[in-house]
Amino acid sequence: MTIAPDTSTGYVSNLTPSQEAKLRELWILLFTSAASVLSAVYEVPLPEGSPNKLFEILDRVNEPTVEAILNALKEEASNGKPTEITDSANISNGDGNGEHNRDNKEQISLDKVDALMKKDAQKNIMSEIATKKVTPQHFTALFAQLRKMGVQESEIKSMEKILSQMTPEEMCFSILKMIKQEHPDSLLLRFLRARKWDVGKGFTMMVTNILWRKEVQVDDDILPKGELYALKQSRDEKLTAKQKKEGRDFIEQLKTGKSFLHGFDRQGRPVNYVRVKIHKPGAQSEEALERYIVHIIETTRLIVVPPIETGTIVFDMTGFSLSNMEYQPVKFIIKCFEANYPESLGLLLIHNAPWIFSGIWRLIHGWMDPVVASKVHFTRSVNDLDKFISRDQIPRELAGDEEWEYKYIQPEDNENEIMQDTATRDSLMYERMMIGLRMLAATAAWISATDYSGGPEDKSKVEELKIRRNGIIEEFKQNYWKLDPYIRARALIDRAGVLKADGTIVVHTGADGDTNSG
């Protein structure tokens, strides 16, 4: 499979200086927003000044406890002046670099964070934030900031309703589960690109997205239950007829292959094919349809391999008639790619549409954001498809060269048995939290070393911090694949061998056989 190079800017591997500056601004906004909430929860003032202040405060923290952090913040507030870096900053992460980094406050502080996270941080910090309660009053400063950005009052009320029901631990875990295996910067950049690099609007969109995932329980219900749960639900005689139908509605869409994930396009994007003629309006409940759509999108996310960040959808309109048309699922799909999964759609092909679809398309096109609409292309033949997807990746049913047919492999009764081991799950999730804290510290260090802090920028120093940060982000990614079987029910891509347990993707390349990617 030949992948055409993509030279677009605005992605992790290809940021302009101004785009990287916007990314740093969004990280800073996330830091200050989280800090304002925690400041209210723990009743401690926030330090003022440049990001360098963070490292001066870190120097006072010698135990991985919330109390030690609070005492350092309170001491900073009472002193009101910078603190000299002391010998305690020579705590290193075991690589012997403490002395070497003496003239580099960011590296010294990161050494210290690494050391603290290896002590009793998990037990001490996590037990504290797991029980700490928050109230609407704790979000006063954050919401005031959002109002200044022009966020609507109705959106703020919605945020308040959900956030006030969560502990700090749940807030942290929601974000950690959302990121999954991708680079954290990739996630932030999606929202920045979707809002044309307006940092305030990108931040608001991201917060709204986190709350949407919590509200519809993407990570707490849809992914942990998955296909096996729906299959069992459809067969359980103890359930009501409505409950059984919900399970049947979900699993039947997979069995019939209403849509299926197969192969990659010419730019390496995974391709989802939708057989529109299979859809029968009213055959499934709206909830089952939306649950199915989210399941498919989340599954596809797992096989998007950097530097690729988007997917392709082919709507096969062969055999379409008005009896297949239902507008609500279309609206939901549009909303998903505009608001819930922004910048995740790379290409949308409408293939072999009959003339009766032209009027319907004019209506649908009017609902679309111009950015999403620009990704739509109409194709009539396999030659048209071949411009976007190599012919040896196109199944025979669309006149391609690949001898492949969709077959649904049913879940095994015990395939999610490992999910019952909640102790290991929690241990891995706490490990993820500790890596996440180190990653946040490394992000703050990177920002502090840039010209954002007001001083001259040492480019070699910034690059060293980027390398260190990327190393922690790689740990974060590897942690996800260890955690994945404990928090996500197995899906067809697992049973079919497309996605391996370590995150390796098996890419079918037509006549050339299979190759691995990861």
Side-chain angles (χ1 to χ4, degrees):
M1 177 176 63
T2 303
I3 297 177
D6 186 355
T7 57
S8 303
T9 62
Y11 297 84
V12 169
S13 57
N14 197 15
L15 289 173
T16 66
S18 63
Q19 289 168 346
E20 184 172 296
K22 292 290 186 182
L23 174 62
R24 293 198 300 264
E25 285 182 40
L26 183 50
W27 272 114
I28 291 165
L29 188 51
L30 286 169
F31 287 149
T32 56
S33 299
S36 70
V37 174
L38 293 175
S39 171
V41 170
Y42 290 101
E43 298 180 340
V44 293
L46 289 176
E48 297 180 358
S50 75
N52 292 337
K53 186 71 69 176
L54 168 67
F55 303 104
E56 295 166 2
I57 295 170
L58 275 175
D59 186 56
R60 300 195 188 107
V61 180
N62 292 305
E63 290 297 329
T65 64
V66 171
E67 183 180 5
I69 296 170
L70 296 180
N71 287 338
L73 287 168
K74 289 175 181 176
E75 184 182 342
E76 172 65 27
S78 62
N79 288 346
K81 57 184 180 180
T83 303
E84 295 293 326
I85 292 180
T86 66
D87 289 341
S88 64
N90 288 327
I91 297 176
S92 76
N93 60 2
D95 60 6
N97 287 334
E99 190 68 29
H100 173 71
N101 291 330
R102 187 178 294 277
D103 61 343
N104 188 329
K105 60 181 176 296
E106 288 87 7
Q107 294 282 13
I108 292 171
S109 292
L110 289 183
D111 288 343
K112 188 163 190 177
V113 169
D114 286 352
L116 291 175
M117 291 303 104
K118 289 178 181 178
K119 294 176 74 177
D120 296 323
Q122 176 176 316
K123 179 177 67 177
N124 295 331
I125 294 178
M126 296 310 301
S127 62
E128 168 69 20
I129 69 171
T131 56
K132 196 72 177 179
K133 297 296 183 182
V134 294
T135 68
Q137 288 70 36
H138 292 140
F139 300 102
T140 301
L142 172 60
F143 292 154
Q145 186 178 22
L146 294 179
R147 287 187 181 95
K148 289 180 181 178
M149 295 178 183
V151 179
Q152 298 296 314
E153 200 63 34
S154 59
E155 292 180 289
I156 290 176
K157 288 292 183 185
S158 177
M159 292 181 198
E160 181 180 80
K161 179 181 177 182
I162 297 173
L163 287 172
S164 61
Q165 297 172 6
M166 301 168 68
T167 65
E169 179 188 56
E170 289 172 325
M171 294 177 193
C172 292
F173 282 2
S174 293
I175 297 172
L176 293 175
K177 288 178 181 178
M178 177 183 178
I179 296 174
K180 301 193 187 310
Q181 85 287 4
E182 67 183 327
H183 195 297
D185 288 350
S186 295
L187 184 66
L188 271 63
L189 288 168
R190 291 184 190 280
F191 296 102
L192 285 172
R193 293 196 304 271
R195 289 297 175 260
K196 298 178 173 56
W197 301 94
D198 184 308
V199 175
K201 290 180 180 178
F203 171 79
T204 302
M205 187 183 195
M206 184 175 181
V207 172
T208 303
N209 184 265
I210 293 170
L211 298 181
W212 170 80
R213 293 181 70 89
K214 182 66 179 176
E215 193 170 24
V216 302
Q217 296 187 296
V218 175
D219 299 297
D220 299 322
D221 185 78
I222 296 176
L223 294 181
K225 288 182 175 178
E227 298 171 18
L228 179 59
Y229 176 86
L231 181 63
K232 289 182 175 180
Q233 186 181 21
S234 69
R235 296 171 173 175
D236 193 341
E237 296 300 330
K238 296 178 182 178
L239 299 178
T240 65
K242 181 181 178 181
Q243 289 172 322
K244 288 178 65 177
K245 184 178 184 302
E246 287 296 319
R248 187 168 61 252
D249 285 354
F250 181 88
I251 206 72
E252 282 301 314
Q253 295 178 89
L254 289 160
K255 285 182 177 180
T256 59
K258 179 185 288 186
S259 73
F260 57 85
L261 179 61
H262 180 71
F264 296 79
D265 70 9
R266 288 190 177 276
Q267 290 200 350
R269 295 176 291 220
V271 181
N272 264 299
Y273 294 87
V274 182
R275 295 156 155 169
V276 181
K277 68 180 180 182
I278 291 179
H279 182 69
K280 304 299 179 187
Q284 293 90 28
S285 68
E286 185 176 322
E287 180 184 351
L289 269 171
E290 293 184 358
R291 189 182 183 91
Y292 170 75
I293 291 167
V294 170
H295 172 77
I296 295 298
I297 295 174
E298 287 288 335
T299 299
T300 305
R301 282 183 66 195
L302 296 172
I303 63 169
V304 174
V305 180
I308 307 304
E309 294 191 12
T310 59
T312 288
I313 300 177
V314 178
F315 279 93
D316 180 13
M317 305 294 290
T318 304
F320 170 84
S321 70
L322 291 178
S323 65
N324 303 120
M325 192 61 222
E326 187 172 14
Y327 289 105
Q328 187 55 41
V330 175
K331 288 182 177 180
F332 182 73
I333 291 171
I334 292 172
K335 180 184 177 184
C336 278
F337 288 113
E338 289 182 357
N340 303 330
Y341 299 93
E343 292 291 310
S344 295
L345 179 66
L347 186 66
L348 194 156
L349 303 178
I350 299 177
H351 181 66
N352 202 22
W355 68 269
I356 58 171
F357 183 70
S358 57
I360 296 171
W361 170 245
R362 282 194 292 271
L363 179 63
I364 294 173
H365 186 270
W367 298 336
M368 287 182 165
D369 177 270
V371 174
V372 174
S374 69
K375 298 173 182 178
V376 178
H377 298 268
F378 283 81
T379 57
R380 296 292 301 174
S381 66
V382 70
N383 288 333
D384 293 338
L385 285 174
D386 187 50
K387 296 173 185 176
F388 306 99
I389 307 168
S390 177
R391 195 180 292 253
D392 65 1
Q393 289 273 301
I394 302 172
R396 281 286 189 189
E397 68 176 83
L398 281 90
D401 292 344
E402 186 172 16
E403 294 286 356
W404 180 89
E405 291 183 14
Y406 175 79
K407 292 179 181 177
Y408 183 63
I409 305 170
Q410 285 208 154
E412 298 287 340
D413 285 342
N414 63 347
E415 68 179 17
N416 298 322
E417 196 169 24
I418 195 172
M419 297 180 75
Q420 296 175 23
D421 183 0
T422 56
T424 301
R425 178 202 66 193
D426 291 347
S427 176
L428 287 168
M429 184 57 81
Y430 290 140
E431 176 187 297
R432 188 166 183 78
M433 171 66 81
M434 296 302 103
I435 299 171
L437 290 173
R438 289 170 52 217
M439 185 270 291
L440 291 175
T443 300
W446 160 52
I447 294 171
S448 175
T450 66
D451 56 9
Y452 173 83
S453 296
E457 179 176 311
D458 184 336
K459 293 190 181 300
S460 63
K461 179 178 171 182
V462 171
E463 286 305 311
E464 287 176 4
L465 287 166
K466 280 185 179 180
I467 291 170
R468 181 164 181 170
R469 177 175 181 258
N470 284 334
I472 298 172
I473 288 172
E474 180 61 25
E475 289 182 50
F476 199 65
K477 173 185 173 182
Q478 295 306 321
N479 165 271
Y480 175 75
W481 291 119
K482 289 190 286 185
L483 178 65
D484 178 70
Y486 296 92
I487 61 173
R488 179 184 65 87
R490 300 301 85 183
L492 178 58
I493 59 169
D494 302 286
R495 294 189 290 276
V498 175
L499 177 63
K500 299 298 184 182
D502 63 355
T504 299
I505 312 300
V506 177
V507 181
H508 184 63
T509 56
D512 297 328
D514 293 342
T515 59
N516 292 337
S517 182

